Amino acid sequence: MTFPPLREELRGIAPYGAPQLEVPVQLNVNENPYPPSPAVVADIATAVAHASSSLNRYPDREFSDLRSALADYLGHGVRPEQVWAANGSNEVMLQLLQAFGGPGRRALSFAPTYSMYPEYARDTVTDWVLGHRETDFSLDLEAARRTVVEVAPSVVLLPSPNNPTGTALPPEAVSMLCEAAGDGIVVVDEAYGEFRRSGTPSALELLPSHRNLVVTRTMSKAFALAGARLGYLAAAPQICDAIRVVRLPYHLSAVTQAVALAALRHAPELLGRVDDLRAERDETVRWLREVGLSVADSDANFVLFGTFADRHSTWQALLDRGVLIRETGPEGWLRVSIGTATEMAAFKEALTEAMEESR
Ligand code: PMP
């Protein structure tokens, strides 16, 4: 054994992380560009001060108030015992694989998909299997159903809207895959759910029909609360109970619970910017198409566009102009998060110059 005694399969692997560069226009990690208003900041500060007076005690490990508030927010008849929360939906996803994956079991997704899933599978020693999406990033339903039946995964991971493509899954796809998965669970990752275009339904509607369906959400995007780390899921109570077995004791700090509860009290205001971002997203899609690029239809707060013979040099040309976007997705594509109108104007100007330069 060599020192440090790192697991063989982790040797030489770089830790995950998009570059955190100090540039004027940061459009690379799908954050919400609008900071909380002074009124929200004040309410959060008061809630944290209150929580601080009992920090000598461990927090409510069942985070009962928060579960009720999240259930109320989700609607669709979701009850508090159907809600589970953790430090970001990243942790929720890891807990799902700790509980339902493991050695000799398989987790399945369809590429291109969220880049963190294979890491959660690796860390929980779950076999990782990748099906594929069509060239327009949709799922061929019949092929996907066959893959689920053949692979017999204990966990299917379906981001909808998908990261990095922005593609939402139709409810028929979710229902069909829930049925095909048998006793396996189907996780519909709706981290970007609130940004759906009108007419695109949420998988929350299907919860009463499928006991193996899990819908995950986060406060990082629509609630503009990425720094607070609060993700959650809605599922059958048996699924929430199973996760309790693998969670760390008191995993959700009293401060986190207080911050999330305060933010939920301001849901209408925090979510008020979502409509602006959706409009800006649709305008970005329109503009990118107008300048002759291919653009994936997006139900999220980001847009995947291309294709570039040398995407890295386009990414670099934007960075040189103070605009940081993401080099991700299939070869030749780039992803831009939706920022404020001013930030999107800077992005368009930088991209126009970069494209002229490369002509
Ligand atoms: N799922 C998807 C599809 C994501 O893109 C992200 C964030 N990039 C997450 C989950 C995790 O978000 P968080 O941990 O901040 O809730």
Side-chain angles (χ1 to χ4, degrees):
M1 207 186 313
T2 50
F3 184 84
L6 191 61
R7 279 161 49 186
E8 208 55 61
E9 66 275 24
L10 301 184
R11 293 241 166 95
I13 293 182
Y16 169 87
Q20 288 194 307
L21 305 177
E22 279 304 319
V23 296
V25 183
Q26 299 182 11
L27 303 173
N28 68 329
V29 286
N30 302 338
E31 290 158 332
N32 190 311
Y34 298 105
S37 71
V40 177
V41 170
D43 205 29
I44 288 177
T46 306
V48 169
H50 183 72
S52 301
S53 64
S54 52
L55 281 181
N56 57 314
R57 301 291 177 195
Y58 284 110
D60 171 10
R61 83 175 133 230
E62 297 301 335
F63 45 96
S64 312
D65 293 346
L66 181 56
R67 288 171 110 161
S68 298
L70 288 168
D72 281 351
Y73 166 68
L74 286 178
H76 291 89
V78 171
R79 290 171 281 119
E81 62 270 27
Q82 290 181 272
V83 173
W84 181 257
N87 298 280
S89 50
N90 272 311
E91 188 182 23
V92 172
M93 220 66 79
L94 181 66
Q95 291 173 332
L96 284 167
L97 282 169
Q98 286 175 321
F100 302 110
R105 293 179 163 209
R106 286 168 296 280
L108 169 72
S109 192
F110 297 88
T113 185
Y114 182 39
S115 56
M116 284 304 295
Y117 297 154
E119 301 205 11
Y120 311 143
R122 179 199 68 203
D123 295 348
T124 57
V125 200
T126 309
D127 288 337
W128 173 242
V129 185
L130 259 188
H132 64 87
R133 287 170 177 263
E134 301 302 289
T135 45
D136 66 355
F137 307 128
S138 67
L139 269 189
D140 175 333
L141 283 198
E142 188 40 39
R145 193 192 63 77
R146 273 200 310 275
T147 306
V148 170
V149 171
E150 276 161 26
V151 174
S154 58
V155 182
V156 182
L157 293 163
L158 303 170
S160 175
N162 184 34
N163 183 4
T165 66
T167 321
L169 282 177
E172 311 81 77
V174 176
S175 286
M176 188 189 250
L177 297 182
C178 282
E179 271 154 37
D183 288 335
I185 61 163
V186 173
V187 182
V188 178
D189 178 352
E190 293 194 349
Y192 303 96
E194 287 92 341
F195 296 99
R196 297 183 323 270
R197 289 173 293 179
S198 53
T200 306
S202 161
L204 287 170
E205 290 178 10
L206 303 171
L207 277 174
S209 328
H210 302 283
R211 65 174 187 174
N212 61 342
L213 173 61
V214 178
V215 181
T216 61
R217 289 275 181 105
T218 180
M219 295 185 79
S220 296
K221 314 294 178 179
F223 275 90
L225 220 62
R229 312 305 299 129
L230 201 287
Y232 56 104
L233 62 74
Q238 301 94 297
I239 290 182
C240 298
D241 284 347
I243 299 173
R244 275 206 187 86
V245 179
V246 299
R247 62 118 185 265
L248 292 173
Y250 314 108
H251 69 291
L252 214 48
S253 88
V255 172
T256 304
Q257 295 183 39
V259 171
L261 273 166
L264 281 161
R265 285 195 291 273
H266 290 272
E269 181 193 327
L270 286 165
L271 294 166
R273 296 292 202 164
V274 166
D275 284 345
D276 298 343
L277 290 166
R278 290 160 82 222
E280 198 65 49
R281 182 256 333 268
D282 293 341
E283 164 54 24
T284 305
V285 169
R286 192 201 59 72
W287 180 83
L288 287 164
R289 286 187 177 142
E290 188 180 277
V291 299
L293 291 162
S294 301
V295 188
D297 283 334
S298 176
D299 277 285
N301 69 336
F302 54 83
V303 177
L304 190 74
F305 63 96
T307 54
F308 300 95
D310 178 358
R311 73 167 164 182
H312 181 73
S313 70
T314 306
W315 177 85
Q316 185 65 53
L318 266 74
L319 184 57
D320 294 344
R321 290 165 174 82
V323 180
L324 177 62
I325 63 166
R326 191 72 173 270
E327 208 178 335
T328 187
E331 199 42 55
W333 294 78
L334 291 167
R335 190 192 72 193
V336 63
S337 311
I338 302 303
T340 62
T342 314
E343 288 172 327
M344 296 323 285
F347 161 73
K348 288 176 192 169
E349 193 182 322
L351 184 59
T352 305
E353 286 175 19
M355 285 167 65
E356 270 162 17
E357 205 175 68
S358 69
R359 246 179 222 130

